[in-house]
Amino acid sequence: LRDRPESGVDERVAGDIMTPHVHALPENAPLTLAVALMASEGMLAVPIVNDDGVVVGLLTTLDVLQWLARRFGYVFNTKIS
């Protein structure tokens, strides 16, 4: 095991390793479209944007799973309505 990170690792910024092409969906996109996009692109989350293209939230796979579980009658202590 190493005692310190590899040379240059601590000098990196998020933009150096980010995904350069972002898929986003509007707030009124059907949940089925969001799930299809996430599945086909291997995404764990998709940014949700308003009419001005401003990110207003992030839909995650956990959000979808919790919503599905609630729809099937399971009770979770979450903020999802």
Side-chain angles (χ1 to χ4, degrees):
L1 296 176
R2 296 184 184 147
D3 292 333
R4 58 190 177 121
E6 291 184 35
S7 176
V9 170
D10 55 332
E11 299 165 4
R12 294 293 206 169
V13 295
D16 292 337
I17 62 170
M18 69 179 188
T19 301
H21 304 288
V22 178
H23 297 284
L25 291 173
E27 292 177 283
N28 63 350
L31 185 56
T32 52
L33 177 61
V35 170
L37 176 64
M38 293 167 83
S40 66
E41 295 296 326
M43 300 168 68
L44 297 177
V46 60
I48 305 300
V49 297
N50 65 16
D51 291 337
D52 296 323
V54 175
V55 175
V56 295
L58 192 65
L59 179 68
T60 68
T61 52
L62 181 58
D63 294 332
V64 174
L65 289 172
Q66 287 176 336
W67 179 83
L68 282 170
R70 289 177 64 87
R71 295 287 291 182
F72 284 111
Y74 295 95
V75 179
F76 290 93
N77 187 16
T78 65
K79 297 177 186 176
I80 298 173
S81 55

